[in-house]
């Protein structure tokens, strides 16, 4: 979205720089005349990783209230309305910039991934209005006009191909430097276990995957998250290179056209086309509208060009949604559908056409206290059908599921802090609600406390059937026998009436109220964001009313109080 704004700005003859917020020297903000902030919301109302240092700085109490009085600004938020704190970061940033004296050009855009047309439904009209206001404040010099959308802008980069004799490039894995791995320098971890933990006849394939992290410098605690950088399959790489007539073995150096444009930090120099497609270009993602806009410029075929232009237009968004988003059509499949255009794509535009493969986050399901050199995840293999012939598959989960411990393959990974924070005192009781793979971070916490011999873990676990997807069944049974765990199960499909974790919460209200009100227990929810978290929160409020003799309003306020002091936490995903 930021790159789209940059292209719009260049068409209006503005000098424009695109930065991630943490790569920008924030001291220079006081001198900027016009800034557009594009920000997502992550976790439970948290800033993205590449915005955290900026976020801490901008909320410093000692900043003067007029420090940004020379700056005009606008905020474009990207969120998902299935989460309770929808676009929280965009809203809060807008308010903070106002407090610091900055001048808003208009109200923030609150893009919503849940809308049929995605964020564009809000962003398109917002941008049209924004550029009208910008040009009224910063009119073009006489003789200049806005560059038409019919004219292709030059690429941001050139791929300068090297003679094969001219250079060699380093594809070796990261050597341990003693520092913890990062996104720029992940640890190549051997995969040592890849076990299906759902019954063979069960529709969902869930894997317990274990990595060897010895010698990596990785340290983690319960609630932390492992980031994994997936790769495209050899079959997809071959298809892509064939379509674009690229030699996978050719080696290139990336050269920016503009001195203000930075080379992506995740691209080593020089690199081969094979590695660019395998490790960088997300050819399996559902493409954004910008792909069709750019493709239309390259098309030598009139029919293909007209269709691409239609998909690019505001009027064609319903049809684009039907073609692309509803069936979850991939970028690679789109390129196959437009063969004349695809074979004409200049290599210099590859990085503008196709986004980078993003790392995937998984809750860590193991404890360093119990297994110092191992890291486990509980992963559902994403696979589903649409009206397209080929089954849709998740890039990362399918890639990991395909790796056998005997392959000798290494998986690039690093660890970061998660949104769940467990109390430092191991004697504090924990009430954990984790249906399905949401149980992963709680397995880490329970395993850690068990290794320390600490009781006080209360787990509400839900799944479809005792004999289908009851993860860690034997381990939970052993911990119960040792007095280190109390387990409450809800097998939704093992009886005529559906039973879920929220039903078990209400049934055990007296026990829960004793733990929360008298023993200062912490309460956690992890799992799918759709309806479970709200239903569990409602069940807890019901317990507060029945056991704590509270009114509905008092129960609501009590849960808010627990949340504010960190004793009620959720980690959900859509």
């Amino acid at each position: 979205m930021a790159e789209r704004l940059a292209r719009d700005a260049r068409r209006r003859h503005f000098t424009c720089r695109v930065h991630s917020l943490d790569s920008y020297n924030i001291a220079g903000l006081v001198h900027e005349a016009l800034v557009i902030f594009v920000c997502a919301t992550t976790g439970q109302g948290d800033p993205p990783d590449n915005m955290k240092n900026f976020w801490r700085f901008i909320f410093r109490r000692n900043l003067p209230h007029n420090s940004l009085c020379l700056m005009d600004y606008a905020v474009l938020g990207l969120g998902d309305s299935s989460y309770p704190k929808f676009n929280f970061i965009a809203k809060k940033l807008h308010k903070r910039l106002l407090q610091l004296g900055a001048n808003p050009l208009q109200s923030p855009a609150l893009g919503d991934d849940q809308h049929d047309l995605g964020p564009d439904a809000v962003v398109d009209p917002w941008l049209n209005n924004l550029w009208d206001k910008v040009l009224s404040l910063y009119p073009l010099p006489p003789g200049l006009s806005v560059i038409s959308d019919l004219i292709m802008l030059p690429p941001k980069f050139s791929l300068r191909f090297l003679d094969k004799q001219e250079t060699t490039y380093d594809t070796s894995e990261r050597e341990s430097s003693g520092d913890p791995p990062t996104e720029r320098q992940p640890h190549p971890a051997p995969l040592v276990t890849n076990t299906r933990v759902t019954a063979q006849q069960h529709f969902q394939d869930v894997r317990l995957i274990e990595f060897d992290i010895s010698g990596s410098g990785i340290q983690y605690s319960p609630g932390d998250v492992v980031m994994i950088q997936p790769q495209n399959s050899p079959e997809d790489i071959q298809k892509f290179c064939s379509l674009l007539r690229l030699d996978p073995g050719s080696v290139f150096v990336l050269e920016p056209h503009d001195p203000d444009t930075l080379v992506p930090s995740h691209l080593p120099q020089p690199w081969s086309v094979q590695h660019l497609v395998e490790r960088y270009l997300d050819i399996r993602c559902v493409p954004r509208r910008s792909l069709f806009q750019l493709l239309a410029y390259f098309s030598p075929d009139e029919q293909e060009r007209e269709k691409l232009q239609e998909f690019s237009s505001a009027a064609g968004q319903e049809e684009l949604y039907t073609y692309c988003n509803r069936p979850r059509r991939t970028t690679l499949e789109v390129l196959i559908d437009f063969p004349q255009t695809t074979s004409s794509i200049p290599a210099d535009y590859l990085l503008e056409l196709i986004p980078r493969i993003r790392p995937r986050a998984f809750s860590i399901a193991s404890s360093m206290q119990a297994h110092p050199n191992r890291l486990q995840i509980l992963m559902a293999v994403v696979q589903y059908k649409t009206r397209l012939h080929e089954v849709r598959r998740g890039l990362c989960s399918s890639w990991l599921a395909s790796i056998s411990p005997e392959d000798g393959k290494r998986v690039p990974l690093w660890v970061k802090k998660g949104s769940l924070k467990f109390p430092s005192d191991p004697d504090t009781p924990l009430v954990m609600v984790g249906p399905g793979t949401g149980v992963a971070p709680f397995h880490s916490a329970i395993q850690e406390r068990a290794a320390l011999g600490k009781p006080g873990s209360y787990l509400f676990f839900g799944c479809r059937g005792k004999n289908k997807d009851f993860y860690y069944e034997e381990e939970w049974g052993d911990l119960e026998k040792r007095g280190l765990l109390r387990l409450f199960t809800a097998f939704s499909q093992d009886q005529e009436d559906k039973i879920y974790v929220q039903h078990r919460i209400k049934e055990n209200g007296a026990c829960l109220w004793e733990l929360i009100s008298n023993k200062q227990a912490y309460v956690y929810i992890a799992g799918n964001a759709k309806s479970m978290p709200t239903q569990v929160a409602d069940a807890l409020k019901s317990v507060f009313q029945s056991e704590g003799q509270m009114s509905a309003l008092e129960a609501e306020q009590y849960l808010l109080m627990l949340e504010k002091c960190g004793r009620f936490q959720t980690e959900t995903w859509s």
Side-chain angles (χ1 to χ4, degrees), residues 225 371 528:
V225 169
H371 304 288
N528 193 291

Side-chain angles (χ1 to χ4, degrees), residues 164-404:
K164 290 191 178 176
Q165 303 84 8
E166 190 179 334
T167 186
T168 58
Y169 66 101
D170 182 17
T171 60
S172 61
E173 305 284 6
R174 168 190 182 269
E175 294 295 327
S176 177
S177 62
D179 296 324
T182 62
E183 185 171 3
R184 290 190 185 184
Q185 275 208 314
H187 172 66
L191 185 151
V192 293
T193 304
N194 188 348
T195 308
R196 179 171 174 141
V197 290
T198 45
Q200 285 300 323
Q201 69 274 19
H202 189 53
F203 78 96
Q204 191 170 47
D205 179 359
V206 175
R207 304 293 180 94
L208 180 64
I209 295 179
E210 187 173 46
F211 303 100
D212 181 351
I213 57 167
S214 51
S216 66
I218 287 175
Q219 297 285 319
Y220 66 84
S221 304
D224 286 352
V225 169
V226 62
M227 305 299 295
I228 293 176
Q229 186 65 53
Q231 297 175 8
N232 287 311
S233 70
E235 298 77 20
D236 285 349
I237 296 164
Q238 188 275 326
K239 274 186 202 171
F240 181 85
C241 290
S242 176
L243 281 166
L244 274 78
R245 301 176 182 175
L246 294 167
D247 172 10
S250 57
V251 176
F252 67 89
V253 173
L254 203 62
E255 296 179 338
H257 278 201
D258 189 314
D260 286 329
T261 301
L262 302 174
V263 173
S265 59
H266 306 87
L267 271 178
Q269 301 267 35
W271 225 20
S272 72
V273 168
Q274 168 79 23
H275 280 80
L276 175 72
V277 183
E278 178 184 71
R279 304 183 185 189
Y280 193 87
L281 299 180
D282 196 353
I283 58 178
R284 296 294 299 187
C285 69
V286 177
R288 299 282 187 187
R289 180 175 159 192
S290 58
L291 175 89
F292 299 92
Q293 290 170 327
L294 287 169
L295 284 179
Y297 292 111
F298 310 132
S299 184
D301 181 89
E302 188 178 344
Q303 274 189 313
E304 288 188 11
R305 185 168 61 253
E306 284 178 2
K307 196 66 185 172
L308 290 164
Q309 287 170 341
E310 183 184 351
F311 285 154
S312 306
S313 68
Q317 290 313 288
E318 287 282 358
E319 191 166 344
L320 176 60
Y321 182 81
T322 302
Y323 166 73
C324 206
N325 297 72
R326 188 168 283 123
R328 310 299 292 167
R329 198 180 299 269
T330 68
T331 295
L332 184 57
E333 288 168 332
V334 169
L335 295 176
I336 291 168
D337 282 353
F338 293 89
Q340 299 297 319
T341 305
T342 300
S343 62
S344 304
I345 295 172
D348 288 353
Y349 284 94
L350 280 177
L351 271 69
E352 288 170 76
L353 274 170
I354 303 172
R356 177 172 78 89
I357 298 173
R358 297 289 168 187
R360 272 46 169 189
F362 295 89
S363 295
I364 297 174
S366 53
S367 155
M368 283 204 95
Q369 191 76 32
H371 304 288
N373 295 317
R374 292 287 189 264
L375 186 153
Q376 291 181 351
I377 62 171
L378 196 61
M379 179 195 78
V381 181
V382 177
Q383 185 172 309
Y384 56 94
K385 290 182 179 179
T386 68
R387 62 179 174 80
L388 297 179
H389 173 70
E390 190 180 326
V391 171
R392 309 291 90 187
R393 300 177 196 277
L395 174 65
C396 188
S397 64
S398 296
W399 176 62
L400 287 176
S402 73
I403 300 173
S404 166

